[in-house]
Structure formats: structure tokens, C-alpha cells
Amino acid sequence: MDEQLFFKKLNSLCTSKEIFDFLSALEVMSDTMASGALQRISEVEVDDNGLKTPEGVLENEVFRALCFQFEFESSKLSNTGLLNALQALIKLGIDPQSTLMASLLSEGKERLGKGQLTVKNLCALGESLLEVEGPSCVTLEEIVNHVQAKDVEKWSPREMVTVYKMLQVTAREGERYQDLLNRMNSATLTIVSQLSPKFTSIILNSLVVLHQTQDVPLVTALCRHSVKHIPYFTGDELVNVLEAFLCFGHRDQIFTEALETHVPKSIFTMHPQTVSKIMQYCCQKMILSKPIFDAAAEGFISDADRFTTDQIAGYIIPFGTLNYLPPSASALFQKLETVLHARLSHFQPHTLLNLLHSCVLIQRYPVNFLPKIFSPYFLQQLQAQPPGLDRTVTSQLTQLFLTVTLECPFYEGPKLLPKYQVKAFLRPHSSLDVHLLKRVKTGLLCLLKKRIYFASEVSTPYFYTVDIEIKLDEEGFVLPAAQCEEVHRRIALCVDGQSRFCINSHNLLGEEAIKQRHLRLLGYEVVQIPFFEIESLQNCRKMADYLHRKIFPHTYGLSC
């Protein structure tokens, strides 16, 4: 039978029985046709759980005859026949230690050594070796060395993807293959639009593993291309894409909008790890997406019992970090409490601390679990595991303790010992907009006439640092900032630059929201000066008028 006619008929068959009956009727077929038949059998008989009917395939006389021929005539096979058969047999789960597989692998390696393989053949052999022998296979390096000499401009998308995968496990010695990678990255940029969801995900993952941070055009093109594939990525593929976005610092509004369309529709069928990674992406990029967060909350309420402890934390922590309570908040935190009661001992210490700390940021108080957190045994566990009791961890513990002291006066459990408390909370370097602070201070100077009447970046006895503090006496007159007697009111100005808000939003981050809440409870009059209210004020007079209205709304005559 003519090969073209053979493959047309073969591809129309949908069961292994139909394929075996078809093959039985043929008197002669080439090795390419025989290997194609094996590939078609693997396509129709193998699913995510493996071979559907092992006995119906592996015990079939036609199948056994084909295997016999491939095993004992491997040296006579064409490169295509040899390598297609090898890939099909791997997919069908044939024992890699069997004489059949050993014969085909040995023949493939021999032809590699003689330089007889094309790029397509080299990639097919590389894929097979990755499947059978794993990343430790020494022959992969030999294949990559052969590939280096080839013209990358002529490679197909599948060949490009396979070489990226091989480089992930062979390019461990620094920049050894960087020249090849540079050529591949340039060539890949020209075929981005042709890449399937699977290939897009694999290449992005490879660029992360191979630290290709310098190739911004390719990363950007792949990230943008991935937008249209969001509904079609598998869970693992979408996780790879999100990890690339995080690794390369990429953020795309269109990508977020595509996620906002996809996640609510698919939340009950998505793997928890995928949703957890989406939440992590939103959290790290400070993207408060209400459609995504609301859907994640519903998914948590429905399925949290089957989540791992890391997935539980991955779902919940972003709500606290970005200071957002979904419409289903009551049911969400009820479910969280139920899960914690059942599985508290399963959590790693640092994961549990991060989780409970995120809850207090949004006024959800885990008082039933704080006796465990403040116990000497738990604190020893924290100290024994990286990062130990570093400044971030002790700040979280101190803020938990301050929260129950100020907001849960009914709590009567163990307290946090002073030796575990910090003197001042860590303040991220980026959290204070120095330029904005300078503009506000200039406006205050214009308003109050003298610099002595306010202080900036003031450390308080209550762990927080106040951006600007103004002191008033009992009659409402401004006192010098250095004066400690007769202070009747303290005004804390929170100069909130863009970094204290979620991206493209006026929603304060959790860390800043709890700070302002606690300062009020500690007796301060908190006046928020958000960037979006003052960015349009062009001169000192306008700034002073604005500050007058914000700080002293009931007094007159202060402005210049």
C-alpha cells in the first residue's frame, strides 16, 4: 500500500482493534509505516492514567510481531522508523530494561556517535532519553553538542522546545551553551505566534531555569502570547507561565483580565495548586482582582478539606496582604477555622504563622490558635527551621501580640515574652515615598511657618514609625515637636505613596491598614495623605491649603 494512503486510513481508525485488523490485512509495510502504526496505537490507547487495555494491546499477535521485528532488525531500520517506534513504545509503557528497548536505544546511540542523525532525529532521541533515563543521562550532552552545529533558523517549534528541555538539564555549568541559547532565543522570537499552549509553557519554564533574564524581547513576546492560551493551558502549564511572570517581573493588564474571565468560570474544576499560584501571582504583583479573589473564596469554602497546608495558606494569605474581604468572608473564615481545628498540627510553623498573621491584617482574629503560637515549644520550632526567628518573623509575632492586646481584650491566653518582641516593626524600604514626603513637609512648613512644629519618621513606643507627627496642647495649639509635656493630642500623618496601595487601586495594603488602625487605638488622630489626592497640587500654597483642610478642618488662619 502507498504510504500516503496508509497513513490516511490509519489516522481514521479510533481503536487498537481496528488498527490491528487493518495491519493484519497488509502483506508488506515499511518500517516507517510500522512505527507510525505503533504511534497511532499509543495515541488511541494511552490516556492520563496510562494504557487503557494492556492485555488487548501487549498480548496482541500483530503487536508482538511488530515488536519482534523492531528488536531483531533494529540495524536495518530507517532513522525515522527507529526513533518513532522508540517514542511510541515509551508512551505505551514498555519496560525500559527489556531487550526490545535496549536494542532500540543502543542503535540510536550508535547512530548518534556516527553523526548520522538530523535535527529532527536528534530531538526525537533526546525526548526518548529524557523519558527513559531522566535528566542524569550523559548522552543528552552529546546530543546538544551535535545540535550546536545545526542551523537553528530551520528548526520546527517542536525541535526548538525539545532542545530547550535538554539544555535545562545539561547547561548547568554557567554560560557553557549561552551562544546556542542566544541563537535559539532570537529564532524563537520569530515563531512565537506559532507556539501552542504546551510549547509556550515549556519555553517560558526553560527560560526561568536557564536564567535568561537578559532576553527581555522574547520573554515579553511569550508572556503576551500566553494571554490567548489561558483557557487552554493545563494546570501545570499555567503554573509555569505564572512562575515566569514572577521570575521576570512581568505584569500585563490584558493577562490579568484574561485570568479574571477564566478563573470564575473554572474555579471548581481547577487544581488547587493552580489557583494557589494565581493568588500568589496577584499577591506579589499587588493586583487586587475582585473576580479572582471572590472565586478563590468560593473554591476554598467548597473544597478546602482536600487542600494541602501550603495550598490553604496560598489561598488565604493574599486576602490579608492586599486587605480585601470577599462577599463570602463570613463563610470563608468559618471554613478556615474548621480546617485549622482539624489539621493545625499538620502545618509547618512558618506557614502557620504567615497564615494567622495575614488574618489579623483584615480583622479576623485567630484567638483560638494563639496559645499555640505564643507557646515556648512553637517558638522553638520556629527557631529551628529556616529562616528561624529573624526580624520579619519576630515582627509578625509582635504584631499578633499587639493585635490581641489592642483589639481582643477578652483574650486571656499566653502572652508573647518580651525577648521575642521587636522594638520597631520592619518597614520595607519602598513603603515610604521620599519624594512625596518631601512635598508634604514643604507644605507643612508653609502652613506652620517653622520646622520645629512637626517631626518626620518618628519612632513610637508602640513598634510603629509615624511618617509625620504633630503635637497639640489642650486648647488645640501646635506644640514644638520636641516638647513632651502638656501634649493633649497627637496627630499622625500617613503619607501614603503608590507602593502602599494595591496596583491601580485606592485600596491600602494590609500592613498599612493595620498600622493606621492600631495608631488610632493607641490614641493618635490618624490623617491619611494619599498620593492620589495631592499629585495634582502644583505649588506650596495649594499643598498648604490642602493640609490645612485635612489636619485642621475646624480652624482658620493657619495657611500662608
Side-chain angles (χ1 to χ4, degrees), residues 531-546:
F531 73 94
F532 50 83
E533 288 185 0
I534 60 175
E535 57 190 356
S536 63
L537 303 179
Q538 299 301 321
N539 56 50
C540 174
R541 177 178 291 278
K542 288 183 178 179
M543 178 67 82
D545 288 343
Y546 165 83

Side-chain angles (χ1 to χ4, degrees), residues 17-29 60-63:
K17 184 180 185 307
E18 290 175 346
I19 296 169
F20 290 136
D21 289 345
F22 171 54
L23 297 178
S24 299
L26 298 176
E27 292 183 9
V28 180
M29 62 178 146
N60 183 277
E61 289 184 10
V62 177
F63 180 79

